[in-house]
Amino acid sequence: MLAYSVQRLLHGLVIILLVCVATFMVLRLVPACPIEFLTGGEDARIGREVIAAIHARWGLDRPWHEQFLVWLNNMLRGNWGESIVRMGVPVRHMVVEAAQVTATLTGISIAIAVLIAIPSGIIGGARRNSFFDYLLTFGATLGIAIPNFWFALMAIAIFALTLRWLPPFGIRSWEGFILPVLVLATNEMAIFARVMRGSILEVLGQDYIRTAHAKGLAETAVVVRHAARNALLSVVTVIGFRIAFILSGTIAVEVIFAIPGIGRLFMDSIFRLDYQVVQTIVLIMVVLVVVVNLITDLIYAYIDPRIRVA
Amino acid sequence: MKFRSLLIIGLIFAMAFAVGLGAGTEEPRRGGTIVLMGHHELAGLSPDDIGPTVTEAAIFNIHNALIELDHNLNFQPVLAKSYEISPDGLTITFHLRRGVLFHDGTPFTSADVKYTYEFYGDPANAALIRGRFVSVDRIETPDDYTVVVHLKEPDATFLTLAATTRIVPKHYHMRVGQAVYRTAPIGTGPFKLVEWRPAEFTLLRAFDDHFRGRPHIDYLRIDVVPEATVRAMALEMGMADASIWPFLVEDNLRFAADPRFKTFITASLAVNHFRINTRLPQFQDKRVRQAMMYATDRQRMIDEVFAGAAVVAHTNKSPALEFWFNPYTRRYDFNPEKAKALLDEAGWRVGPDGIRVKDRIRLSFTLHVFTGDVVRMPQAELMQYFLRAVGIEMLITETPAAVVTAGMRAGTKHAQLHNWTFGSTEPCLWIKLHSRGGDNRSHWSHPRVDELLDMGRREMNLEKRRAIYWEIQEIVAEEVPFLFMMYWDWFNSWNKRVRGLPETALSGSHIFLYLMHTLWIDE
């Protein structure tokens, strides 16, 4: 088990390093430079020497491999560098602030999604082909199929513009969280409910469930205590992955609802080539994915010895 | 005698009262919050944080400059009462306004001006706006209210660029440094900073001791809302009073037609144009370039592609720049027959495939449109149709913006389509039209224009300077170094609860930058 863990850990570290190098190179291959965006409105008098001085200020005049080593060295020492676009604001400050917003938003969304999706999935699976099951399957398919950005705009048009119940954007008050959470939770809920339903169906066909029935246990006890517990494992895995891939869902929601989260920071930074910020966020995401993968692998290996050997 | 003066005073009071009654509803009301929306985060709040108008809206309401641009794009002395320029153009003397306070109660003096210009002009500080101060030799402050700027060479852009730089307080900026200052600025402006969240909102509060009087409203908030549709819905709901950045065309037109909103429609300063490499054999003859202008029905292009929301361009200058715009240049009304005649005259004969040929060169070129530019692609396609009708072939390809820019500058690409300023409120377009200019993408060389551009930089007298740029526009209209199409309309809609707005404006954006302290809210 120890050898296996070390192997998986090293594997993860190699992936992290490769992604860092790739991100660094791709950003530098774009035939443009963040300074061009910064000085855009000033071209009437700006001269080459002014541009050169700004490049030197940010170390952009050095060869890229040197820039990479400086960056890597700083990251290892816990110095995340400074944002070029915000001219000197520490990246750590920007990322931590934005990450807190996104964590709150997705935390609430996933919690609500779990609270609704798991019982619904259990009922849907246990009462297969019932009206509720059809409703659930239909709702879940719709929830996965509807694009986030469209749902978000429709939610604003209905609940803010037409009904005037909720603010159209911003999270200055708790009401502001309702629509973005609704949009994010709907998507997650659909995914979790489908997985839970499928998993329950699978478990219900197992021998030990028949045994439980044979023991004379009530239907509810069989489903909740025996089937649901085992079926939960697959849902937990999915939840872990959804957390690791959080950015994919939140970018559109954060842009539309004007929420200053990590997804929007990432988008803005890419468009303006804010090298340090993009690199840091990519690094954090890769670490997150690798860690979630690692934990999943280790849990599986712990549960199923066959994986360890192979 | 005494009775008479009393009577006069009494009469004056009565008249004032009557005027007050008559204008009853237009008496400014104090209090409330005006909410503006921007599309873009506010990266920082110092004078060096040049960016889109939304950032300027915060910076300009916190700070003042010696000279500022008003909503009709006229230069107004603000922190300077007046200025004079020495006959040799090498010395500019600013006389400062007295009794101006910074937000911390410190008086504004000439030392602050000297400090601001020297700090941002110092190469060691690598400021983005450093270029504005390159011609400065030294700055003197003979007393608290006089600033004397000595220039190395006459530089007309000093007044339009350097003197419009916002002034920071020396005692504070020097102590905290630029990095902190960007997050916690103190200016002389009508509003002071309360809270700044770059990607979320910026909240400003009225400054009681502002030298032009306290603003009528208590708070000014700028919300960052990236999505245009959401901004439009928020304006519709009354959650915000105006959007600094416009909406989608359909929404812009809808608000303009809605009586609950007052909409300023102003011409943009950047000309929408086809930039062509005039060194190519196809484009060397100016008659070919003129023919392309005659071949294009620009009004139809505006109506069909841009829903009518643009004005035809006649030169490189926007008609919104009333002072600099020359209305007497050569015009190119849609006339395909004239276009054909000009091409025949230039020796380009129609070949077997319908495309004109001369000396075995086909009159064909490739146009680069920015990748993903869904707004201008239909315009390019319509242009292709117009040019084909007179025997010119234009192939269209999508290319990333940075690659187009590099290729056009190097002269390896034929043509591109975009919007760009050829001289805005600062009319100098040296880098774009001078034969030695770094951004002369047309690769155009015209000795008289070179001479005029050099003169324009040195000419300190505004009237004489205007004559120079008028002549450049005449030459541009005659020679057609690029195909000037139109100036897009810029829309700014305001909720009518906001009062005190000007009847008209030549720049809707500058209402946010210059007039916020004069507005009030009528509930």
Side-chain angles (χ1 to χ4, degrees):
Chain A
M1 184 73 192
L2 184 72
Y4 177 76
S5 310
V6 171
Q7 186 208 332
R8 301 303 302 166
L9 194 68
L10 285 176
H11 192 172
L13 284 177
V14 171
I15 289 176
I16 291 173
L17 192 68
L18 284 178
V19 172
C20 282
V21 175
T23 315
F24 202 92
M25 286 190 64
V26 167
L27 280 173
R28 262 104 189 139
L29 281 175
V30 176
C33 158
I35 307 301
E36 278 177 34
F37 294 95
L38 287 177
T39 55
E42 283 288 301
D43 53 9
R45 283 317 297 256
I46 205 148
R48 278 182 216 289
E49 78 284 7
V50 178
I51 300 279
I54 301 167
H55 273 94
R57 158 75 179 79
W58 298 102
L60 298 173
D61 53 342
R62 295 194 238 167
W64 79 265
H65 60 269
E66 206 178 299
Q67 290 182 41
F68 179 73
L69 290 177
V70 169
W71 175 73
L72 194 67
N73 187 26
N74 284 340
M75 283 308 275
L76 291 174
R77 289 154 191 267
N79 173 6
W80 298 8
E82 296 174 352
S83 156
I84 299 176
V85 169
R86 290 213 199 147
M87 291 197 280
V89 174
V91 173
R92 177 192 292 272
H93 175 78
M94 290 165 69
V95 169
V96 168
E97 206 174 52
Q100 282 170 350
V101 174
T102 304
T104 312
L105 189 66
T106 40
I108 300 173
S109 308
I110 289 184
I112 291 176
V114 166
L115 282 178
I116 297 175
I118 288 183
S120 323
I122 295 173
I123 299 171
R127 301 249 181 282
R128 201 180 171 185
N129 297 335
S130 66
F131 175 71
F132 182 84
D133 187 30
Y134 286 132
L135 197 71
L136 179 77
T137 312
F138 177 73
T141 311
L142 209 64
I144 291 172
I146 291 178
N148 250 347
F149 65 89
W150 184 83
F151 187 29
L153 285 176
M154 286 303 122
I156 298 175
I158 294 166
F159 295 105
L161 186 62
T162 310
L163 297 171
R164 312 258 160 161
W165 290 349
L166 296 165
F169 67 86
I171 45 164
R172 264 192 298 275
S173 62
W174 65 270
E175 288 102 331
F177 276 97
I178 296 178
L179 290 181
V181 164
L182 173 76
V183 174
L184 279 178
T186 304
N187 203 253
E188 302 301 331
M189 214 183 297
I191 296 167
F192 298 160
R194 274 181 76 104
V195 174
M196 190 68 208
R197 178 181 172 277
S199 189
I200 281 278
L201 280 176
E202 202 185 310
V203 171
L204 284 178
Q206 305 273 324
D207 289 344
Y208 70 91
I209 296 294
R210 209 174 318 142
T211 315
H213 277 297
K215 279 198 299 187
L217 281 180
E219 172 75 18
T220 326
V222 172
V223 172
V224 174
R225 234 187 289 153
H226 294 266
R229 266 193 167 178
N230 284 295
L232 262 180
L233 196 65
S234 52
V235 180
V236 171
T237 316
V238 174
I239 294 172
F241 273 98
R242 295 302 299 173
I243 291 173
F245 289 99
I246 236 162
L247 270 186
S248 62
T250 55
I251 289 179
V253 169
E254 286 177 1
V255 168
I256 289 173
F257 291 104
I259 296 167
I262 198 106
R264 226 177 99 200
L265 179 65
F266 191 49
M267 279 274 286
D268 283 352
S269 304
I270 290 174
F271 281 136
R272 277 175 291 166
L273 289 179
D274 201 343
Y275 296 147
Q276 312 285 338
V277 181
V278 178
Q279 281 154 213
T280 306
I281 296 178
V282 170
L283 178 63
I284 292 172
M285 288 302 138
V286 179
V287 170
L288 206 61
V289 171
V290 167
V291 167
V292 169
N293 257 313
L294 195 67
I295 293 172
T296 325
D297 281 355
L298 294 181
I299 290 176
Y300 276 21
Y302 177 74
I303 296 170
D304 189 346
R306 279 173 303 181
I307 295 173
R308 255 178 283 166
V309 184
Chain B
M1 202 62 178
K2 245 183 182 172
F3 174 72
R4 241 172 112 179
S5 45
L6 271 178
L7 188 73
I8 290 168
I9 292 169
L11 267 173
I12 291 171
F13 267 107
M15 277 163 68
F17 185 67
V19 169
L21 275 185
T25 50
E26 287 306 299
E27 192 68 18
R29 203 183 134 270
R30 188 159 155 172
T33 303
I34 287 184
V35 180
L36 306 176
M37 291 179 292
H39 65 303
H40 194 291
E41 72 157 29
L42 287 78
L45 300 176
S46 84
D48 195 32
D49 289 282
I50 47 173
T53 318
V54 49
T55 309
E56 290 183 334
I59 297 170
F60 287 21
N61 279 301
I62 296 171
H63 300 90
N64 290 113
L66 298 190
I67 298 172
E68 294 182 17
L69 263 179
D70 70 9
H71 54 287
N72 287 320
L73 300 173
N74 294 316
F75 288 97
Q76 301 287 356
V78 176
L79 288 180
K81 263 188 323 198
S82 61
Y83 60 86
E84 68 245 1
I85 302 163
S86 66
D88 62 1
L90 288 172
T91 310
I92 308 173
T93 308
F94 292 98
H95 301 284
L96 306 184
R97 199 189 271 258
R98 286 160 197 260
V100 177
L101 296 180
F102 282 105
H103 297 157
D104 63 354
T106 325
F108 155 78
T109 68
S110 54
D112 300 305
V113 179
K114 180 177 157 73
Y115 174 80
T116 303
Y117 292 179
E118 286 179 350
F119 179 86
Y120 292 111
D122 185 349
N125 295 322
L128 301 179
I129 57 171
R130 197 201 137 207
R132 299 176 185 181
F133 306 100
V134 285
S135 59
V136 175
D137 181 29
R138 68 202 145 86
I139 299 169
E140 286 169 359
T141 51
D143 63 61
D144 275 359
Y145 299 101
T146 310
V147 177
V148 184
V149 179
H150 296 278
L151 302 174
K152 290 177 215 156
E153 54 182 358
D155 178 7
T157 68
F158 189 88
L159 287 176
T160 51
L161 293 176
T164 57
T165 300
R166 309 285 131 167
I167 303 297
V168 301
K170 179 185 178 185
H171 68 281
Y172 175 69
H173 188 281
M174 209 155 132
R175 181 161 55 82
V176 300
Q178 169 70 6
V180 171
Y181 188 85
R182 300 175 68 244
T183 66
I186 289 180
T188 58
F191 295 90
K192 48 187 184 179
L193 182 65
V194 179
E195 195 177 359
W196 170 59
R197 292 172 180 269
E200 200 181 354
F201 67 90
T202 303
L203 181 64
L204 309 179
R205 190 173 60 215
F207 174 38
D208 291 332
D209 299 318
H210 181 61
F211 63 96
R212 288 173 295 192
R214 185 196 187 276
H216 302 306
I217 53 171
D218 289 338
Y219 291 97
L220 173 62
R221 197 176 77 221
I222 302 170
D223 284 340
V224 180
V225 188
E227 187 64 33
T229 318
V230 178
R231 286 202 299 279
M233 287 196 267
L235 184 69
E236 175 83 48
M237 287 174 70
M239 297 277 300
D241 297 298
S243 179
I244 297 172
W245 209 252
F247 315 118
L248 304 174
V249 176
E250 313 84 82
D251 284 329
N252 286 332
L253 294 170
R254 183 165 59 80
F255 282 112
D258 190 328
R260 294 172 299 156
F261 300 90
K262 177 172 175 64
T263 301
F264 294 90
I265 304 175
T266 53
S268 121
L269 302 186
V271 61
N272 167 277
H273 66 281
F274 293 85
R275 193 86 64 106
I276 47 177
N277 181 350
T278 57
R279 266 202 236 136
L280 289 177
Q282 300 94 305
F283 297 141
Q284 277 170 6
D285 191 328
K286 81 173 179 191
R287 284 171 297 189
V288 175
R289 308 195 296 258
Q290 290 172 339
M292 289 163 87
M293 292 299 294
Y294 281 121
T296 314
D297 188 348
R298 290 177 288 171
Q299 194 55 51
R300 184 174 156 199
M301 197 180 253
I302 290 170
D303 293 340
E304 287 190 5
V305 183
F306 300 102
V311 291
V312 169
H314 296 299
T315 73
N316 55 296
K317 285 262 185 294
S318 168
L321 294 162
E322 280 188 341
F323 184 79
W324 301 109
F325 173 66
N326 180 351
Y328 307 110
T329 54
R330 176 172 180 159
R331 299 282 164 110
Y332 295 91
D333 297 322
F334 176 53
N335 190 342
E337 292 315 312
K338 199 161 178 177
K340 287 177 192 163
L342 272 169
L343 290 167
D344 287 339
E345 191 189 313
W348 292 90
R349 304 269 167 237
V350 180
D353 58 351
I355 303 303
R356 288 169 188 269
V357 188
K358 183 187 175 185
D359 302 336
R360 267 178 286 165
I361 294 169
R362 286 176 83 240
L363 195 41
S364 166
F365 67 102
T366 303
L367 175 80
H368 297 269
V369 177
F370 296 144
T371 307
D373 187 351
V374 290
V375 176
R376 277 172 288 220
M377 187 48 103
Q379 183 189 0
E381 285 160 357
L382 191 56
M383 186 67 172
Q384 187 175 44
Y385 164 78
F386 287 141
L387 293 180
R388 185 67 183 76
V390 297
I392 302 173
E393 181 182 62
M394 181 175 86
L395 307 168
I396 304 173
T397 177
E398 277 191 71
T399 315
V403 179
V404 180
T405 304
M408 288 300 293
R409 283 181 182 162
T412 54
K413 302 243 183 290
H414 298 169
Q416 74 169 119
L417 171 59
H418 70 163
N419 296 25
W420 203 250
T421 57
F422 275 82
S424 53
T425 46
E426 162 45 50
C428 180
L429 27 72
W430 201 94
I431 67 163
K432 290 173 188 117
L433 288 183
H434 197 284
S435 58
R436 285 185 287 121
D439 196 30
N440 182 354
R441 301 184 199 187
S442 303
H443 298 275
W444 187 51
S445 177
H446 194 284
R448 177 63 185 158
V449 169
D450 283 4
E451 192 186 338
L452 286 166
L453 287 167
D454 289 333
M455 280 162 61
R457 269 192 175 185
R458 285 195 306 266
E459 183 52 67
M460 303 295 272
N461 178 303
L462 270 183
E463 296 295 331
K464 287 186 190 161
R465 202 169 180 221
R466 167 156 77 175
I468 293 171
Y469 292 101
W470 272 36
E471 191 181 337
I472 293 177
Q473 288 173 68
E474 273 165 33
I475 299 173
V476 165
E478 173 66 26
E479 296 280 330
V480 197
F482 58 91
L483 311 179
F484 31 93
M485 293 288 116
M486 64 187 81
Y487 291 92
W488 288 353
D489 283 342
W490 194 254
F491 289 79
N492 288 113
S493 295
W494 286 80
N495 189 316
K496 278 199 178 154
R497 78 178 192 124
V498 175
R499 298 305 190 89
L501 288 164
E503 278 304 308
T504 57
L506 285 175
S507 166
S509 298
H510 281 79
I511 295 173
F512 305 114
L513 307 180
Y514 188 77
L515 286 179
M516 291 311 299
H517 64 288
T518 66
L519 307 182
W520 72 93
I521 295 168
D522 189 32
E523 296 290 3

